[in-house]
Amino acid sequence: MVQEPKGYYFNRDKKRVIELIESLLVNKERYGYMSCPCRLAAGDRKKDQDILCPCVYREGDVKEYGSCYCNLYVSKEWNEDDMPHEYVPERRPSYF
């Protein structure tokens, strides 16, 4: 309800959403914060600040591709198949 007025919806694939939310909770237990389950976390909140869900890349990803990197958050058009479901490239800089 909080995200929809901003143009962000959960993926209509409920199985995918549940898997991602479960993975976020695993990361919360593991690291003490919910880092994106589709990215490698450093285990340091300061280093992982950009991938705390919702990550800082979500806005650009949804604007350009209709979906965030992990497909948890999508646009209404993406959910309704009014736009192609293209691969969302990784925007996070590589530090390793």
Side-chain angles (χ1 to χ4, degrees):
M1 294 179 133
V2 173
Q3 299 300 320
E4 287 184 9
K6 298 176 186 176
Y8 303 108
Y9 299 80
F10 279 136
N11 187 328
R12 70 170 181 242
D13 181 346
K14 293 188 187 325
K15 182 180 180 211
R16 174 99 174 129
V17 169
I18 289 170
E19 288 171 352
L20 288 166
I21 290 173
E22 287 173 347
S23 296
L24 284 166
L25 293 172
V26 166
N27 283 347
K28 184 175 182 179
E29 287 179 30
R30 183 181 292 154
Y31 305 119
Y33 51 89
M34 292 193 298
S35 65
C36 179
C38 299
R39 294 180 164 104
L40 183 60
D44 178 322
R45 188 179 183 98
K46 186 175 179 182
K47 289 180 181 176
D48 293 334
Q49 192 68 33
D50 63 327
I51 61 169
L52 299 181
C53 189
C55 74
V56 300
Y57 310 104
R58 176 185 71 167
E59 183 177 350
D61 288 348
V62 173
K63 185 176 185 177
E64 187 171 349
Y65 297 99
S67 170
C68 69
Y69 183 66
C70 65
N71 301 132
L72 177 62
Y73 290 104
V74 300
S75 68
K76 184 177 181 180
E77 295 78 18
W78 193 95
N79 253 351
E80 294 176 353
D81 292 325
D82 289 337
M83 65 182 303
H85 293 190
E86 296 180 32
Y87 171 76
V88 179
E90 174 64 274
R91 292 180 189 263
R92 190 177 198 207
S94 176
Y95 297 109
F96 305 102

